Amino acid sequence: MTRAEIVVDVAAIRRNVAVLRRFVKVPVMVVVKADGYGHGLAASARAAREAGAEWLGVASCQEALAVREAGDTGRVLAWLTVPSDDLTPLVRQGVDVTAYTVADLHRLAEVARETDLRPRVQLKVDTGLSRGGATMADWPDVCRAARELELAGLLKVTGVWSHFSSSEVPDDPANEEQEKVFREALDIAAEAGLRPEVRHLANSAAALLRPSSRFDLVRVGIASYGLDPAPGLTPELGLVPAMTVRADLALVKEVGAGASVSYNHTWTADRPTTLGLVPVGYAEGVLRSVGNRAEVLVDGVRRPVRGTICMDQFVVDLGGDHPVTGTDVVLWGPGTAGEPTAHDWAAAGETICYEIVTRIGGRMTRRHVDSDRSTTAGGEGQK
Ligand SMILES: *Cc1c(COP(=O)(O)O)cnc(C)c1O
């Protein structure tokens, strides 16, 4: 135990990925971007592979190389390169790189000429998110250019893919529309002569809620970590949240009625009570917006946050009880011992669970445990 830490059970990630694979019945790409959604990139990647993940997905070049540095030799897709990135190491490491434009394809062809390697390229089409990817207006040109470079032996188009805007809202007509546009894009790619190994569209919510969007592969991020991408809508699969965030109680003290708590006195005790000091704050990624809204678990009892979240600390109301200092304070976890979940914190912070788990960090340490093997998982102990 340390003063404030993120404890990640890699067995939960393994189990979740295994459950997801059985449920979707197509290969899965476990997304380990953003340091494995705050769970640790290397440990998450390892757990995902142990559960049979056929692919890993990341946003940046640096993340793809970190996957390789962690010893992973399987299929990896990176999808957000920028002009200043050196793509050569990615190609050398056999990472699939996403191209959005003809210019991206030419950069990869240049790497091919310099290295005598054949880059593995996946083409991304924008089916309506209007974020990355080629618009449908540009898509035929991108496909044609890719096919020419493929025929010239300068690259290999391994995938065609896109991304949903609203998959956690299954009734949103945007889902149907994007899937329809994706099918058109696949036809255009096929007409250009492309024969990709994988065609993929679904993230966690779509993988679980929209079977028609599964194609050859689904990209599952949040669900791998045990969090529900569409709370209340997802089928009961028994996913287990892998992350627990805890801290030592730093101080317990009595205050009288009328005591006002933390910056700007946004809460005032209406009776004598005891206050507990928790040594993490917004510098650790505890959202400032959860002041007076979130709860924590102290000695088996839910305790409300009182007052504003500070940079290094916040205050909870212990209701007159006197737990000893050093007592475990659980901010969130799987919820099985009565503690709040990342979903509860998301509700308190008016955000989504993704932001809760990816933001937490700062001065906290991270520890990996393996509840199936009752050992501390190796590597990456410190953040
Ligand atoms: C982050 C991301 C995913 C994973 O989304 P989840 O909702 O966490 O499953 C999939 N695809 C792309 C392109 C992403 O950026």
Side-chain angles (χ1 to χ4, degrees), residues 31 33 37 79 124 131 161 163 203-205 219-223 354:
V31 181
K33 65 188 177 186
Y37 286 45
W79 53 68
K124 182 174 185 197
R131 203 174 69 177
W161 68 277
H163 192 48
N203 62 350
S204 293
R219 304 184 305 270
V220 286
I222 200 78
Y354 297 67

Side-chain angles (χ1 to χ4, degrees), residues 45-373:
R46 204 175 307 126
R49 291 296 197 196
E50 285 170 357
E54 287 84 352
W55 287 78
L56 297 176
V58 295
S60 73
C61 285
Q62 292 75 14
E63 291 171 327
L65 295 176
V67 169
R68 288 291 185 246
E69 276 154 29
D72 192 277
T73 55
R75 290 277 172 249
V76 178
L77 173 66
W79 53 68
L80 191 52
T81 57
V82 295
S84 60
D85 285 332
D86 179 5
L87 301 180
T88 304
L90 293 194
V91 172
R92 286 197 193 284
Q93 295 286 341
V95 171
D96 286 47
V97 180
T98 299
Y100 298 165
T101 62
V102 173
D104 288 344
L105 291 167
H106 285 301
R107 278 181 74 206
L108 285 159
E110 203 44 49
V111 174
R113 290 191 192 93
E114 282 164 14
T115 59
D116 241 8
L117 294 167
R118 207 160 163 223
R120 294 176 54 90
V121 184
Q122 300 209 12
L123 307 180
K124 182 174 185 197
V125 57
D126 174 7
T127 52
L129 181 60
S130 302
R131 203 174 69 177
T135 62
M136 282 301 273
D138 293 336
W139 182 243
D141 285 346
V142 170
C143 290
R144 260 195 305 275
R147 181 59 185 155
E148 276 168 26
L149 293 168
E150 192 171 64
L151 287 171
L154 290 169
L155 48 80
K156 184 165 165 31
V157 175
T158 55
V160 171
W161 68 277
S162 189
H163 192 48
F164 278 120
S165 74
S166 313
S167 57
E168 81 288 8
V169 188
D171 295 338
D172 192 314
N175 296 309
E176 191 66 37
E177 176 60 23
Q178 282 194 264
E179 192 179 310
K180 180 170 144 276
V181 174
F182 188 59
R183 289 178 194 280
E184 287 165 22
L186 292 177
D187 288 344
I188 291 167
E191 280 159 26
L194 297 173
R195 298 290 179 269
E197 295 163 20
V198 285
R199 299 159 300 172
H200 49 108
L201 175 59
N203 62 350
S204 293
L208 296 176
L209 296 169
R210 199 175 168 83
S212 61
S213 71
R214 288 177 193 152
F215 295 91
D216 304 320
L217 181 69
V218 295
R219 304 184 305 270
V220 286
I222 200 78
S224 308
Y225 304 100
L227 295 169
D228 189 342
L233 299 174
T234 317
E236 184 42 61
L237 298 175
L239 299 176
V240 179
M243 178 187 287
T244 298
V245 175
R246 57 154 302 280
D248 288 353
L249 191 59
L251 172 74
V252 176
K253 68 181 177 190
E254 296 177 356
V255 295
S260 292
V261 172
S262 193
Y263 290 128
N264 304 112
H265 288 170
T266 61
W267 184 81
T268 299
D270 59 5
R271 59 195 148 67
T273 190
T274 46
L275 299 177
L277 189 65
V278 184
V280 291
Y282 61 77
E284 275 63 51
V286 175
L287 300 186
R288 200 164 168 278
S289 55
V290 305
N292 288 316
R293 305 180 67 146
E295 292 180 340
V296 300
L297 192 75
V298 185
D299 248 356
V301 183
R302 290 277 196 114
R303 302 295 191 181
V305 172
R306 298 301 196 201
T308 309
I309 304 286
C310 309
M311 188 185 293
D312 319 307
Q313 51 197 304
F314 65 85
V315 176
V316 296
D317 188 351
L318 297 170
D321 293 338
H322 288 81
V324 295
T325 56
T327 294
D328 212 21
V329 177
V330 181
L331 281 71
W332 65 82
T336 42
E339 75 278 16
T341 63
H343 292 293
D344 295 326
W345 276 68
E350 291 181 11
T351 182
I352 54 177
C353 61
Y354 297 67
E355 189 178 8
I356 298 296
V357 292
T358 54
R359 277 218 180 177
I360 197 73
R363 291 159 289 189
M364 300 183 92
T365 53
R366 188 166 50 216
R367 179 162 58 95
H368 290 100
V369 298
D370 189 335
S371 61
D372 279 349
R373 297 172 188 165

